[in-house]
Amino acid sequence: MEMNEILVIAMFVSFIALLFTGFPVAWALAGIGILFAGVGYLADNYLDTMTGLDYSTLGLAVGRIFGIMTNWVLVALPMFIFMGLMLDKSGVAERMMHAMQGLFGRVRGGLAIAVTLIGIILAASTGIIGASVVLLGVMSLPVMMRQKYSKTLALGTVAGAGCLGILIPPSIMLVIMGDQMGLSVGDLFMGAVFPGLILGILYIIYILLFSFFKPVSAPLSADAKPVSLAVVWSVFKTILPPAALILSVLGSIFAGIATVTEASGIGALGAIVMAAAYRRLNWSVLKEVTINTFNTSAYIFAIFVGATVFALVLRELGGDQLIESTLTGLPFGPYGIIAFILAVVFLLGFFLDWIEISLIILPLLAPVVKALGLDIDGHGVVDNPELVWFALLVAVTLQTSFLTPPVGFALFYLKGVCPPGITLMHIYKGVIPFILLQLLGLLVVAFFPDVVTWLPSVAYGK
């Protein structure tokens, strides 16, 4: 084994080891990159190796970091984050919960279905996992506990529905994936619509079946009333504002009226208008949302900087060639290699956040996937259909990372707002069926690539 290969493996091992110490990810990535640049430089000077690393390697990182700061696509990140946080403060979710309780009150498991539908709407309008899970948990868990719902069903529904925002556009994960893989964010947004809806539908089917076979776990509300025209009108009025915001953001992108960056600004402004219309907008709310937007954006961009240094040194050492030769040398065939990659991403999701996987792993895998010669139909319209399909497969897989211990963030968000008497073990048992449903959704997207490529082809087709 050559020195370069040894250093590449040592970089990954060091990074994983530092993660378990609780050291900040951004510092770990940048620090390991700088450290191994020094190790390579010393090895070339004193061990007569040819790693090619020297001080100019870190000099190249400066230019790449400036490239991040001047990337117009990434301007959409803080805007979408602001939009999600402001909508969280607007009170729209509480209004939808009250309205939908009346609509589904006479359906067994109706409250869980209402939570899932609200989760889909929040996903398409906020995309902030922490906000969605906490909001759904605060609003629905006390009500479901009073109605004697099964703890595992209630907890799994809230966690699963709250995590849809990382996939259903506008998703900040898809913005980052598009930037890292050189893909159109608009293509990814359109390609993610049906996979996201499929997951939501699978959740609802599971809730209906669970409630049918275990009626005691999802009892009907004692004060449920027949559905009337007034109830339907109330639901319509409640859903209309967020639906209009979703249409203005995604519709402007899909119609080619606005870029993703411009549409994010429309979304941020629309969220402010909605909060003002519901009389929830004041100086305190604006200040809190702005500060939280700064903090979240700084966290993401700090990891961007650290990952840039790490990836630069890794590439200088030939890490991308090592990964490509390793994967293409597997005796699985093209689609077997894709399955292997997704299995690795699934396992990495137990320990790594989606941001690290998107920034470190995806850029290394994109050339490998492109070289496999996959036969994915882009209908003559979608550029790089195999990469768009692969990116959405990874995105669906990364849904599970929010629900899998030990670093499933949704689990800890949910635990923080649970009523007394609910333990982490209840949450773990509750999310297992939803992890399996996410994997079932992954199989649907894997076996039917048109689920991803059809909508972009229709939008851009002549």
Side-chain angles (χ1 to χ4, degrees):
M1 186 176 291
E2 297 181 0
M3 176 61 73
N4 288 42
E5 295 175 347
I6 294 172
L7 291 179
V8 167
I9 295 170
M11 284 184 72
F12 279 113
V13 172
S14 302
F15 173 59
I16 294 171
L18 272 180
L19 281 181
F20 285 104
T21 67
F23 202 74
V25 174
W27 293 110
L29 286 167
I32 290 171
I34 293 170
L35 173 65
F36 277 86
V39 170
Y41 172 76
L42 293 174
D44 286 355
N45 281 273
Y46 297 103
L47 299 179
D48 199 27
T49 60
M50 290 291 291
T51 65
L53 295 175
D54 54 28
Y55 293 117
S56 64
T57 300
L58 297 180
L60 292 172
V62 176
R64 294 197 178 194
I65 291 169
F66 274 108
I68 294 172
M69 299 301 119
T70 57
N71 188 329
W72 281 103
V73 173
L74 297 181
V75 174
L77 288 180
M79 289 294 185
F80 280 136
I81 292 168
F82 180 92
M83 170 184 161
L85 294 174
M86 182 58 75
L87 282 175
D88 180 31
K89 298 293 183 181
S90 71
V92 65
E94 293 97 321
R95 291 170 180 264
M96 286 192 291
M97 178 61 75
H98 292 308
M100 286 192 179
Q101 274 185 268
L103 186 63
F104 294 101
R106 296 177 68 85
V107 177
R108 193 170 294 281
L111 187 52
I113 293 172
V115 169
T116 303
L117 291 174
I118 294 170
I120 293 172
I121 296 170
L122 287 178
S125 52
T126 67
I128 308 297
I129 298 301
S132 295
V133 171
V134 169
L135 197 57
L136 290 174
V138 168
M139 290 190 305
S140 65
L141 283 179
V143 181
M144 285 197 273
M145 292 301 99
R146 284 199 298 271
Q147 288 190 19
K148 307 298 182 184
Y149 264 67
S150 160
K151 289 180 181 179
T152 54
L153 176 63
L155 294 166
T157 300
V158 171
C163 290
L164 288 171
I166 204 64
L167 176 62
I168 295 178
S171 161
I172 59 175
M173 178 170 71
L174 297 180
V175 174
I176 292 175
M177 283 184 168
D179 174 70
Q180 294 297 298
M181 299 180 71
L183 298 173
S184 163
V185 177
D187 280 355
L188 292 179
F189 275 11
M190 283 184 277
V193 169
F194 287 131
L197 292 178
I198 286 170
L199 286 182
I201 292 168
L202 287 174
Y203 293 171
I204 292 172
I205 292 172
Y206 167 73
I207 292 166
L208 288 171
L209 291 175
F210 189 94
S211 305
F212 178 77
F213 289 107
K214 290 189 175 181
V216 70
S217 298
L220 291 170
S221 174
D223 56 352
K225 299 177 181 178
V227 176
S228 64
L229 189 61
V231 171
V232 175
W233 174 244
S234 174
V235 172
F236 177 77
K237 287 193 302 181
T238 307
I239 292 177
L240 187 59
L245 181 62
I246 295 166
L247 183 63
S248 65
V249 175
L250 297 182
S252 62
I253 296 172
F254 295 172
I257 298 171
T259 65
V260 171
T261 304
E262 292 163 345
S264 68
I266 296 171
L269 177 61
I272 293 174
V273 171
M274 194 178 299
Y278 289 147
R279 299 184 179 181
R280 295 290 187 93
L281 183 64
N282 54 49
W283 174 249
S284 175
V285 167
L286 184 60
K287 181 181 177 181
E288 181 184 350
V289 169
T290 303
I291 290 174
N292 286 339
T293 300
F294 285 157
N295 289 339
T296 306
S297 300
Y299 168 75
I300 292 174
F301 277 93
I303 296 178
F304 257 110
V305 171
T308 296
V309 177
F310 184 92
L312 175 64
V313 175
L314 192 71
R315 280 204 166 97
E316 290 286 308
L317 288 169
D320 46 355
Q321 288 96 341
L322 176 62
I323 292 172
E324 183 174 354
S325 61
T326 302
L327 289 175
T328 53
L330 294 173
F332 301 147
Y335 290 96
I337 292 173
I338 294 292
F340 177 80
I341 291 172
L342 295 176
V344 171
V345 170
F346 174 72
L347 294 175
L348 288 175
F350 280 75
F351 308 102
L352 295 179
D353 193 2
W354 66 267
I355 303 177
E356 293 95 73
I357 295 174
S358 299
L359 294 179
I360 300 170
I361 306 298
L362 278 186
L364 296 174
L365 295 178
V368 178
V369 174
K370 200 162 186 178
L372 291 176
L374 299 171
D375 184 22
I376 304 299
D377 187 8
H379 304 279
V381 176
V382 182
D383 293 330
N384 298 310
E386 69 283 349
L387 288 184
V388 173
W389 173 70
F390 173 72
L392 266 299
L393 286 175
V394 173
V396 176
T397 307
L398 287 179
Q399 281 260 296
T400 63
S401 70
F402 287 91
L403 300 179
T404 49
V407 278
F409 289 109
L411 308 179
F412 300 108
Y413 293 140
L414 187 56
K415 183 65 176 74
V417 296
C418 281
I422 292 179
T423 65
L424 266 177
M425 189 54 64
H426 287 131
I427 298 175
Y428 289 156
K429 289 180 180 178
V431 299
I432 288 173
F434 288 85
I435 294 173
L436 295 176
L437 290 171
Q438 289 172 345
L439 294 177
L440 177 59
L442 177 66
L443 290 177
V444 172
V445 177
F447 286 111
F448 303 99
D450 274 0
V451 168
V452 170
T453 59
W454 180 80
L455 187 57
S457 71
V458 169
Y460 296 137
K462 303 297 182 183

